[in-house]
Amino acid sequence: MDYGSEELVVKLYDIDQQEARIIGLKEYVIGAVAASMPPEFPKEALKAQAICCRTLAVKRMGIFGGSGCKRQPGFDVCNDSLHCQGFMDIEERQKAWGSRYEEFTEKITAAVEDTSEVIIVYNNNPIEAVYHTACGGCTEDSENVWGNKVSYLRRVECIYCKDSPYWKTTKNFSVRELKRRLAINFDDSLSDNREIPGLLENINSTASGRIKKIKIGDMIFQGEDIKNLLGLSSTKFSWKVSALSFQVMGHGHGLGLCQYGARGMALLGFPVDEILKFYFTGVELKRLERPTYTKPLIGKTIVVDPGHGGDSGNSGPMGLSEGYVNLEIARAVAEGLMQCGAKVMLTRDKNEFVSLSERIRISNEIKPDITLSIQQNFFPDEQVGGTETFYYPGDVEGKKIAEFIHRELIAHLQLSDMGVKPADLFVLRETNNPSVMVNVAALSNPEEERLLSEPQFRQKAATAIINGIKCYYQE
Ligand SMILES: [Zn+2]
Ligand SMILES: [Zn+2]
């Protein structure tokens, strides 16, 4: 089967219906664009939105190595616009768009098809392509919203959303409403002769409380003038603050794409790539690289750790060094994993001593998906032999990986099955990710030592380990 031409599917969790939906990527992007941008917007803006929606999904999709929706395990995305991304299905679109359903669907579908499989990447990785309604003058640096610095989410000055209804909005609150909403109290009682700096100052009143002279703003008035100008019935008056008006610029968090800005740029004739590169700093647009059966491990990072067999370095009865055997198998495993598309790091690539704590430090720094330690068994009895695989107690994913790898090793090497076991081993305990220790064979057993000395046998072991990892991800 040519997997490459198959349509990619998104596993969507519907939070309202509390059900799973499996949707083709194209249909998903149409629904996400419909949920996030008015369909009346110009085409280049809709195209920019389609690329953002697709990139956000791809960044989460498990098949591309994403971690999925962090709230709904096992799903790529949820349809909560405040969590992953909103989504409108056909029914919801018909309801919302009424007689314009056909027209809007055609328009959005065209924007999705015109940008088919294009995503935004930074350093060749899909970005967190966030968007907001209108920035109101400039977008925001990520650290001011999320607390961490993201290189492509930098503040840019944007005048393109100036025509939007959100550029500047005013909201008025009565003093009573303000007190209620903020749960605060302050004195707003009627006041005679109380100055409000900058507004009512230099009040001069008679003993009977009539205003003789007052400065309002930058003008000095006679009490009599005020009375006439404002139509008051006497000069014996007082005042209080009864409302406050807030002026707000923009709408939304201000990160990434300013949607009304994209609209403004599109109306000015900017093409979609210039719009996206304006709002996302230093990014590139790229066609999606599809994961295929020949590269099922794209997006995975795996650390392969060839053990030494103790500080002094174990060797078999005929003198075969464990450090050497482990390194040879580890190299073959690394090469095979890379051919499957994984990023692989060996904790040592020469037959030289690197301490265990240093190897663990290397692994933890890389934060891989799996740490795989390659070792050999040593049994006191020369006749005992076999394959044995370990995981750290409670490491659920580590246990699954160990079981897949072990099954393949037993099937292909056909040595005694010493089992898959939990073990409180330093290398498993100290690594911060799912980790597995494989003991391929018993170097203490002369027959297995002879096998381990053969390159074909070591390659067979490496292939079995790689197959185990592929099975784990394809399960
Ligand atoms: Zn989610
Ligand atoms: Zn803007």
Side-chain angles (χ1 to χ4, degrees):
M1 182 172 69
D2 180 8
Y3 186 82
S5 64
E6 281 246 313
E7 205 196 351
L8 295 161
V9 294
V10 179
K11 282 186 261 175
L12 171 72
Y13 185 78
D14 187 324
I15 53 164
D16 308 311
Q17 309 294 323
Q18 302 200 352
E19 62 181 24
R21 292 186 174 196
I22 308 294
I23 306 168
L25 180 61
K26 179 181 148 185
E27 188 54 33
Y28 171 76
V29 176
I30 291 173
V33 171
S36 52
M37 183 177 268
E40 293 90 345
F41 272 28
K43 188 156 182 197
E44 292 302 301
L46 289 168
K47 279 160 76 174
Q49 185 64 44
I51 294 173
C52 287
C53 290
R54 182 180 300 114
T55 306
L56 266 179
V58 165
K59 181 152 184 73
R60 286 169 175 69
M61 282 163 75
I63 195 165
F64 294 109
S67 53
C69 166
K70 297 230 163 76
R71 246 192 242 156
Q72 302 294 340
F75 289 88
D76 293 320
V77 286
C78 69
N79 64 347
D80 181 352
S81 60
L82 299 176
H83 192 246
C84 288
Q85 182 159 248
F87 177 82
M88 268 170 106
D89 62 18
I90 294 175
E91 226 170 85
E92 291 165 314
R93 267 143 45 197
Q94 280 169 338
K95 221 167 142 190
W97 298 341
S99 62
R100 300 187 77 181
Y101 172 77
E102 298 287 336
E103 175 201 343
F104 287 159
T105 298
E106 226 166 81
K107 201 172 162 198
I108 291 181
T109 304
V112 172
E113 282 174 350
D114 283 0
T115 61
S116 177
E117 310 224 332
V118 175
I119 57 166
I120 313 169
V121 295
Y122 185 86
N123 282 342
N124 221 23
N125 287 313
I127 68 163
E128 196 66 43
V130 283
Y131 44 86
H132 59 280
T133 308
C135 70
C138 54
T139 67
E140 189 55 279
D141 285 327
S142 61
E143 55 271 34
N144 296 332
V145 180
W146 291 345
N148 60 317
K149 188 170 173 178
V150 179
S151 322
Y152 51 82
L153 296 176
R154 301 290 88 212
R155 172 197 151 102
V156 296
E157 305 266 340
C158 162
I159 46 148
Y160 302 108
C161 56
K162 207 163 182 142
D163 294 338
S164 86
Y166 304 103
W167 173 260
K168 215 182 260 181
T169 48
T170 307
K171 200 146 186 203
N172 301 316
F173 293 93
S174 68
V175 163
R176 186 199 288 175
E177 178 71 354
L178 209 62
K179 284 180 174 177
R180 190 183 65 77
R181 292 225 195 178
L182 302 180
I184 52 170
N185 207 1
F186 54 85
D187 181 16
D188 63 329
S189 58
L190 269 175
S191 58
D192 298 315
N193 298 353
R194 187 180 300 159
E195 300 199 344
I196 301 175
L199 183 60
L200 300 170
E201 291 172 327
N202 303 339
I203 303 147
N204 185 342
S205 50
T206 67
S208 65
R210 290 187 158 73
I211 304 290
K212 263 165 72 181
K213 224 197 255 173
I214 186 170
K215 185 176 173 218
I216 304 184
D218 56 359
M219 289 274 285
I220 296 168
F221 297 90
Q222 300 298 320
E224 194 61 21
D225 295 337
I226 294 297
K227 180 190 138 228
N228 294 335
L229 287 167
L230 298 181
L232 308 177
S233 47
S234 85
T235 56
K236 190 168 162 51
F237 58 82
S238 56
W239 50 84
K240 69 170 182 171
V241 174
S242 67
L244 221 57
S245 185
F246 288 83
Q247 195 174 66
V248 188
M249 307 286 287
H251 186 91
H253 52 50
L255 293 181
L257 181 83
C258 165
Q259 293 178 306
Y260 269 92
R263 173 183 172 272
M265 289 184 83
L267 291 172
L268 289 171
F270 286 98
V272 61
D273 55 325
E274 286 185 34
I275 295 174
L276 291 171
K277 285 178 184 171
F278 178 73
Y279 291 107
F280 296 106
T281 309
V283 300
E284 294 298 326
L285 296 184
K286 194 183 110 172
R287 284 198 145 253
L288 212 46
E289 235 172 70
R290 288 165 161 253
T292 65
Y293 278 141
T294 52
K295 293 203 173 192
L297 298 179
I298 276 184
K300 307 295 174 203
T301 303
I302 299 170
V303 166
V304 183
D305 173 49
H308 289 292
D311 281 2
S312 49
N314 289 321
S315 36
M318 339 252 269
L320 182 63
S321 140
E322 180 178 353
Y324 166 78
V325 169
N326 293 344
L327 181 60
E328 288 298 303
I329 295 174
R331 279 183 180 148
V333 169
E335 199 187 312
L337 290 174
M338 281 190 276
Q339 280 168 5
C340 293
K343 271 185 216 158
V344 184
M345 171 81 193
L346 282 166
T347 54
R348 64 180 178 103
D349 58 2
K350 293 196 197 87
N351 203 9
E352 273 173 13
F353 186 78
V354 180
S355 73
L356 180 56
S357 53
E358 173 62 11
R359 279 148 44 211
I360 288 169
R361 192 194 61 76
I362 293 171
S363 172
N364 287 341
E365 203 172 276
I366 296 169
K367 301 190 182 68
D369 296 287
I370 301 175
T371 302
L372 175 71
S373 186
I374 308 282
Q375 311 270 350
Q376 306 306 322
N377 267 324
F378 271 84
F379 297 115
D381 182 348
E382 271 197 5
Q383 298 313 305
V384 180
T387 305
E388 199 172 20
T389 308
F390 297 100
Y391 61 91
Y392 188 67
D395 177 358
V396 179
E397 294 308 310
K399 181 177 183 212
K400 278 193 220 166
I401 301 162
E403 282 166 350
F404 279 113
I405 292 176
H406 191 77
R407 190 187 69 190
E408 293 293 317
L409 282 169
I410 295 302
H412 292 96
L413 302 185
Q414 298 185 329
L415 303 179
S416 317
D417 185 350
M418 303 297 284
V420 179
K421 298 167 182 164
D424 187 4
L425 296 164
F426 188 73
V427 63
L428 300 175
R429 183 175 59 237
E430 297 301 319
T431 41
N432 301 331
N433 45 71
S435 54
V436 170
M437 182 200 278
V438 176
N439 286 14
V440 177
L443 193 55
S444 51
N445 175 311
E447 171 55 17
E448 295 187 8
E449 180 182 22
R450 188 188 60 74
L451 287 171
L452 285 168
S453 73
E454 293 173 2
Q456 302 93 310
F457 178 84
R458 296 194 297 255
Q459 183 58 53
K460 207 165 29 165
T463 305
I465 292 169
I466 295 160
N467 285 341
I469 292 174
K470 284 200 280 191
C471 290
Y472 164 70
Y473 281 115
Q474 282 164 9
E475 164 229 27

